[in-house]
Amino acid sequence: MFMLISAKALRAVATLLLVVTAVFFILRASGDPTYVLLPDDTPQHIVEIYKERWGIDRPVYEQYVTYIGSLLQGDFGVSFFDFKPAIDLVLERLPKTLQLGLVAYTGAVVFGVTLGVIAALNRNTIVDRLVMVTAVFGYSMPNFFFGLLLIIFLSLQLRWLPPSGSDTWAHMVMPAVTLGLAAAAQIARFTRSSILEVIRQSYIRTARAKGASYGRRIRWHALPNAAIPTVTVLGFQFGLMIGGTVVIETVFAWPGMGRLFYQAVGARDYAVVQTIILLIAASIILVNLAVDLLYAVLDPRVRIAPEKL
């Protein structure tokens, strides 16, 4: 188990370094931020002073070495616009994003797993078809379009919920539903498939031959084994959901990290963009690392042969 954890941790660090490196060079290749930050009629010597002040007049590889060295010392850089440490700007918005993301993710897991189990236990019935049609709809519908539909009907037509902001719980309903819709649909489909695959296994027939009731076969044999592949998709959905907050926070004017990221990308605010991507990548990598380890706990075969992961 120790070797498994060590190998996974090293792979996670290497992945994070790869993401940080790719983002750094892609941002520099996207254009000179001085053309966005300064007026068009700015004298050239002022532009040169500005570049020297922020260190963007140096070769890219020197900037990269300086950036990695600063990161290792806990320095994430300073925003071009606010002249504040980028990490402070991000941490100011992070609680709102976590609040929205956790509510949406919890709802997606609860509804997705529940609907998947209901569909599997009622396979080939009207209940199964209704759940699957709803799941396909939820997975196929672009979340930004679904969010706009909610705003039109629930806010502008019925006036039940506020269209934007984050002051009360009512402000969270539409962004959380929009953000969690696709994840819930995917989890429901995956849970249904996992359970249907498990209940065809020989040990389920053996339990039935021994006289185990239908409920006992489902609770003690089918659901625990179906949970193993489902846990994997839960990790992937968390990553997709964190990335999706950028669009959802923009649609609903939610004052979180995703909206800050949208504004920073438009302004080529290097330090803020890099810090947000670093935190998002680190959270996704950590969740997937936890999922891998949980997978090993649930399936003893993985502990014996970790290369199966």
Side-chain angles (χ1 to χ4, degrees):
M1 193 67 180
F2 175 76
M3 294 299 294
L4 174 64
I5 295 174
S6 300
K8 292 293 177 186
L10 285 175
R11 188 186 302 175
V13 172
T15 304
L16 186 59
L17 179 61
L18 183 63
V19 171
V20 169
T21 302
V23 170
F24 181 90
F25 285 102
I26 290 172
L27 275 177
R28 269 63 183 178
S30 67
D32 191 337
T34 55
Y35 293 109
V36 179
L37 298 168
L38 300 178
D40 294 338
D41 57 351
T42 303
Q44 186 59 33
H45 71 282
I46 298 295
V47 174
E48 297 300 328
I49 292 173
Y50 191 90
K51 288 184 177 181
E52 184 180 358
R53 162 68 179 80
W54 292 104
I56 54 180
D57 61 329
R58 292 178 292 164
V60 175
Y61 71 88
E62 286 187 17
Q63 296 181 43
Y64 176 71
V65 172
T66 302
Y67 173 65
I68 295 297
S70 299
L71 273 185
L72 294 176
Q73 299 175 36
D75 181 2
F76 290 78
V78 177
S79 168
F80 290 155
F81 276 95
D82 297 288
F83 305 106
K84 294 179 181 178
I87 188 66
D88 291 348
L89 293 172
V90 174
L91 291 180
E92 286 176 4
R93 303 289 192 98
L94 184 60
K96 285 294 184 184
T97 295
L98 289 179
Q99 186 183 24
L100 176 61
L102 289 178
V103 170
Y105 186 70
T106 302
V109 172
V110 171
F111 281 99
V113 171
T114 302
L115 291 176
V117 171
I118 291 173
L121 300 184
N122 296 277
R123 58 177 171 169
N124 298 328
T125 66
I126 186 64
V127 175
D128 181 21
R129 294 189 180 93
L130 183 61
V131 171
M132 286 300 99
V133 168
T134 305
V136 171
F137 168 81
Y139 189 69
S140 305
M141 173 69 75
N143 55 9
F144 67 90
F145 183 67
F146 183 68
L148 293 175
L149 290 179
L150 291 182
I151 291 175
I152 292 172
F153 286 106
L154 298 182
S155 294
L156 303 182
Q157 297 289 336
L158 301 176
R159 299 186 181 280
W160 286 352
L161 294 169
S164 62
S166 63
D167 297 330
T168 66
W169 65 268
H171 290 87
M172 182 181 289
V173 175
M174 290 194 295
V177 170
T178 306
L179 186 59
L181 177 67
Q186 183 72 354
I187 292 170
R189 294 179 64 189
F190 205 87
T191 301
R192 176 184 180 275
S193 299
S194 299
I195 292 178
L196 290 180
E197 184 177 348
V198 166
I199 61 179
R200 297 190 187 103
Q201 298 299 315
S202 57
Y203 55 83
I204 297 293
R205 292 195 295 272
T206 301
R208 183 180 182 182
K210 288 182 177 179
S213 64
Y214 178 76
R216 183 177 179 80
R217 295 199 302 274
I218 295 298
R219 284 196 304 273
W220 297 105
H221 298 281
L223 291 181
N225 288 286
I228 296 173
T230 303
V231 165
T232 304
V233 80
L234 294 184
F236 286 120
Q237 288 303 324
F238 179 83
L240 293 174
M241 190 169 292
I242 291 295
T245 59
V246 176
V247 176
I248 300 305
E249 289 182 3
T250 303
V251 170
F252 291 97
W254 185 266
M257 193 173 64
R259 197 174 176 208
L260 176 65
F261 177 77
Y262 174 79
Q263 295 164 346
V265 167
R268 292 197 182 97
D269 198 346
Y270 289 165
V272 176
V273 174
Q274 290 168 169
T275 302
I276 291 175
I277 292 180
L278 175 61
L279 292 182
I280 290 176
S283 65
I284 294 173
I285 289 171
L286 283 176
V287 168
N288 281 282
L289 178 62
V291 167
D292 283 348
L293 297 180
L294 182 59
Y295 199 92
V297 171
L298 293 173
D299 190 349
R301 294 171 299 178
V302 175
R303 295 197 293 273
I304 298 172
E307 66 275 5
K308 288 182 178 181
L309 274 176

